[in-house]
Amino acid sequence: MSTIANGKNRLDGLVAAAGVNHIGSAINHSAADIERIISINYTGAFTSATAAATQMLNKQSRGSILLISSMSGMIANKGMKSSIYNSSKAAVIQLARSFAMEWTNIDTEGRGGIRVNCLCPGHIMTPMAKMVMDGTPGTKEIWESENMMGRLARPEEFRGIALLLMSNASSFMTGSTIVADGGHTAW
């Protein structure tokens, strides 16, 4: 990030979108499983966002940070035993709120001012979702029946939301959590 910030004398934004899962009963999670999931899903988001914020503050540039969580940070999904993944994604939602509180209004001279928001997608046809569906037959059908649109999302369906949250079109949004899940959590 410092290479980009130094080359342009600014850093405008960051999208932190890492995530891994481990399917299985909470009782069967090893300490290594827990550490790996938390390290990537939470610590990765934390360190990426703080590195970006450091550059934005050093360059006195306003910026936008988008943390990608999951609707799994808000609900327990039928057909997916994954307590560590779900709780790590809940932590990312709170992390966005906490960063927004800390970084949105840095000083009275207009320097800083980093907006931080969170996007919580529903089930998306990704290799990680396929891993869950392959390991637990019937999961795809359960997930499709649990949202109002009756299907899983495609990755490209989140481009517009990410562009909105990274652009000045969302200049009065910070600490917000946007849920895009086909209506899954609405019913």
Side-chain angles (χ1 to χ4, degrees), residues 148-169:
M148 294 176 192
M149 299 184 90
R151 66 178 179 83
L152 303 183
R154 296 178 312 276
E156 62 271 15
E157 292 183 284
F158 299 92
R159 289 179 189 152
I161 299 167
L163 286 172
L164 166 72
L165 293 172
M166 295 303 293
S167 75
N168 286 333

Tab-separated table of all heavy atoms in Angstrom, residues 148-169:
chain	number	residue	atom	x	y	z
A	148	MET	N	-35.525	-14.887	-0.845
A	148	MET	CA	-36.715	-14.540	-1.613
A	148	MET	C	-36.518	-14.675	-3.119
A	148	MET	O	-37.490	-14.796	-3.854
A	148	MET	CB	-37.128	-13.104	-1.291
A	148	MET	CG	-37.587	-12.917	0.123
A	148	MET	SD	-37.934	-11.181	0.409
A	148	MET	CE	-38.086	-11.189	2.189
A	149	MET	N	-35.277	-14.650	-3.573
A	149	MET	CA	-35.008	-14.732	-5.002
A	149	MET	C	-34.860	-16.176	-5.480
A	149	MET	O	-34.830	-16.432	-6.679
A	149	MET	CB	-33.774	-13.903	-5.349
A	149	MET	CG	-34.005	-12.429	-5.006
A	149	MET	SD	-32.648	-11.375	-5.482
A	149	MET	CE	-33.188	-10.963	-7.139
A	150	GLY	N	-34.749	-17.117	-4.547
A	150	GLY	CA	-34.713	-18.528	-4.893
A	150	GLY	C	-33.478	-18.975	-5.658
A	150	GLY	O	-33.519	-19.960	-6.388
A	151	ARG	N	-32.380	-18.258	-5.479
A	151	ARG	CA	-31.144	-18.610	-6.169
A	151	ARG	C	-29.952	-18.097	-5.379
A	151	ARG	O	-30.104	-17.293	-4.466
A	151	ARG	CB	-31.110	-18.030	-7.585
A	151	ARG	CG	-31.065	-16.506	-7.614
A	151	ARG	CD	-30.985	-15.973	-9.048
A	151	ARG	NE	-30.969	-14.540	-9.115
A	151	ARG	CZ	-29.891	-13.772	-8.958
A	151	ARG	NH1	-28.702	-14.312	-8.699
A	151	ARG	NH2	-29.959	-12.461	-9.056
A	152	LEU	N	-28.774	-18.543	-5.759
A	152	LEU	CA	-27.539	-18.027	-5.180
A	152	LEU	C	-27.053	-16.855	-6.025
A	152	LEU	O	-27.344	-16.761	-7.220
A	152	LEU	CB	-26.473	-19.116	-5.123
A	152	LEU	CG	-26.856	-20.392	-4.361
A	152	LEU	CD1	-25.678	-21.357	-4.322
A	152	LEU	CD2	-27.348	-20.096	-2.975
A	153	ALA	N	-26.303	-15.962	-5.408
A	153	ALA	CA	-25.784	-14.787	-6.104
A	153	ALA	C	-24.594	-15.159	-6.978
A	153	ALA	O	-23.930	-16.169	-6.758
A	153	ALA	CB	-25.362	-13.722	-5.087
A	154	ARG	N	-24.327	-14.296	-7.946
A	154	ARG	CA	-23.117	-14.388	-8.765
A	154	ARG	C	-22.150	-13.311	-8.259
A	154	ARG	O	-22.579	-12.225	-7.868
A	154	ARG	CB	-23.450	-14.151	-10.233
A	154	ARG	CG	-24.379	-15.217	-10.816
A	154	ARG	CD	-24.730	-14.930	-12.284
A	154	ARG	NE	-25.157	-13.555	-12.546
A	154	ARG	CZ	-26.404	-13.088	-12.384
A	154	ARG	NH1	-27.349	-13.889	-11.926
A	154	ARG	NH2	-26.700	-11.821	-12.662
A	155	PRO	N	-20.853	-13.564	-8.253
A	155	PRO	CA	-19.896	-12.576	-7.733
A	155	PRO	C	-20.053	-11.187	-8.348
A	155	PRO	O	-19.953	-10.174	-7.657
A	155	PRO	CB	-18.528	-13.186	-8.068
A	155	PRO	CG	-18.777	-14.660	-8.105
A	155	PRO	CD	-20.175	-14.807	-8.671
A	156	GLU	N	-20.315	-11.111	-9.647
A	156	GLU	CA	-20.412	-9.810	-10.311
A	156	GLU	C	-21.603	-8.970	-9.852
A	156	GLU	O	-21.647	-7.764	-10.116
A	156	GLU	CB	-20.423	-9.983	-11.839
A	156	GLU	CG	-21.587	-10.776	-12.382
A	156	GLU	CD	-21.350	-12.283	-12.474
A	156	GLU	OE1	-20.390	-12.806	-11.860
A	156	GLU	OE2	-22.147	-12.955	-13.147
A	157	GLU	N	-22.536	-9.563	-9.145
A	157	GLU	CA	-23.692	-8.807	-8.667
A	157	GLU	C	-23.349	-7.843	-7.537
A	157	GLU	O	-24.189	-7.038	-7.142
A	157	GLU	CB	-24.806	-9.764	-8.228
A	157	GLU	CG	-25.406	-10.510	-9.403
A	157	GLU	CD	-26.551	-11.416	-9.003
A	157	GLU	OE1	-26.264	-12.497	-8.429
A	157	GLU	OE2	-27.707	-11.041	-9.265
A	158	PHE	N	-22.130	-7.881	-7.041
A	158	PHE	CA	-21.727	-7.010	-5.935
A	158	PHE	C	-20.857	-5.834	-6.385
A	158	PHE	O	-20.482	-4.998	-5.576
A	158	PHE	CB	-21.032	-7.843	-4.849
A	158	PHE	CG	-21.964	-8.883	-4.310
A	158	PHE	CD1	-22.005	-10.155	-4.857
A	158	PHE	CD2	-22.855	-8.579	-3.300
A	158	PHE	CE1	-22.906	-11.104	-4.405
A	158	PHE	CE2	-23.760	-9.518	-2.833
A	158	PHE	CZ	-23.788	-10.785	-3.391
A	159	ARG	N	-20.578	-5.765	-7.674
A	159	ARG	CA	-19.748	-4.673	-8.193
A	159	ARG	C	-20.361	-3.303	-7.914
A	159	ARG	O	-19.675	-2.384	-7.470
A	159	ARG	CB	-19.559	-4.817	-9.698
A	159	ARG	CG	-18.688	-5.947	-10.113
A	159	ARG	CD	-18.610	-6.003	-11.635
A	159	ARG	NE	-17.939	-7.202	-12.058
A	159	ARG	CZ	-18.161	-7.792	-13.219
A	159	ARG	NH1	-19.021	-7.284	-14.067
A	159	ARG	NH2	-17.507	-8.885	-13.523
A	160	GLY	N	-21.633	-3.156	-8.226
A	160	GLY	CA	-22.305	-1.865	-8.063
A	160	GLY	C	-22.331	-1.396	-6.621
A	160	GLY	O	-22.116	-0.211	-6.341
A	161	ILE	N	-22.578	-2.323	-5.709
A	161	ILE	CA	-22.607	-1.957	-4.291
A	161	ILE	C	-21.221	-1.526	-3.831
A	161	ILE	O	-21.079	-0.530	-3.118
A	161	ILE	CB	-23.122	-3.135	-3.432
A	161	ILE	CG1	-24.548	-3.509	-3.843
A	161	ILE	CG2	-23.058	-2.791	-1.953
A	161	ILE	CD1	-25.021	-4.831	-3.299
A	162	ALA	N	-20.201	-2.265	-4.256
A	162	ALA	CA	-18.830	-1.901	-3.885
A	162	ALA	C	-18.472	-0.535	-4.464
A	162	ALA	O	-17.879	0.303	-3.765
A	162	ALA	CB	-17.846	-2.964	-4.362
A	163	LEU	N	-18.832	-0.287	-5.713
A	163	LEU	CA	-18.552	1.019	-6.317
A	163	LEU	C	-19.267	2.132	-5.565
A	163	LEU	O	-18.696	3.200	-5.323
A	163	LEU	CB	-18.958	1.024	-7.792
A	163	LEU	CG	-18.027	0.259	-8.721
A	163	LEU	CD1	-18.631	0.152	-10.120
A	163	LEU	CD2	-16.660	0.900	-8.781
A	164	LEU	N	-20.507	1.911	-5.191
A	164	LEU	CA	-21.244	2.907	-4.411
A	164	LEU	C	-20.514	3.221	-3.116
A	164	LEU	O	-20.263	4.391	-2.794
A	164	LEU	CB	-22.659	2.407	-4.085
A	164	LEU	CG	-23.400	3.213	-3.008
A	164	LEU	CD1	-23.816	4.570	-3.554
A	164	LEU	CD2	-24.584	2.437	-2.490
A	165	LEU	N	-20.144	2.195	-2.377
A	165	LEU	CA	-19.543	2.400	-1.062
A	165	LEU	C	-18.128	2.967	-1.132
A	165	LEU	O	-17.676	3.604	-0.180
A	165	LEU	CB	-19.567	1.097	-0.263
A	165	LEU	CG	-20.977	0.634	0.116
A	165	LEU	CD1	-20.934	-0.753	0.725
A	165	LEU	CD2	-21.651	1.614	1.047
A	166	MET	N	-17.450	2.776	-2.237
A	166	MET	CA	-16.099	3.318	-2.385
A	166	MET	C	-16.100	4.731	-2.969
A	166	MET	O	-15.112	5.435	-2.861
A	166	MET	CB	-15.253	2.400	-3.269
A	166	MET	CG	-15.004	1.020	-2.669
A	166	MET	SD	-14.205	1.073	-1.057
A	166	MET	CE	-12.605	1.713	-1.511
A	167	SER	N	-17.203	5.141	-3.573
A	167	SER	CA	-17.239	6.421	-4.282
A	167	SER	C	-17.861	7.526	-3.432
A	167	SER	O	-18.426	7.287	-2.365
A	167	SER	CB	-18.053	6.273	-5.570
A	167	SER	OG	-19.441	6.209	-5.274
A	168	ASN	N	-17.790	8.740	-3.969
A	168	ASN	CA	-18.412	9.883	-3.302
A	168	ASN	C	-19.927	9.825	-3.342
A	168	ASN	O	-20.590	10.628	-2.684
A	168	ASN	CB	-17.913	11.188	-3.919
A	168	ASN	CG	-16.493	11.488	-3.491
A	168	ASN	OD1	-16.045	11.060	-2.426
A	168	ASN	ND2	-15.758	12.202	-4.322
A	169	ALA	N	-20.501	8.893	-4.093
A	169	ALA	CA	-21.954	8.717	-4.087
A	169	ALA	C	-22.456	8.302	-2.701
A	169	ALA	O	-23.627	8.464	-2.387
A	169	ALA	CB	-22.370	7.688	-5.135
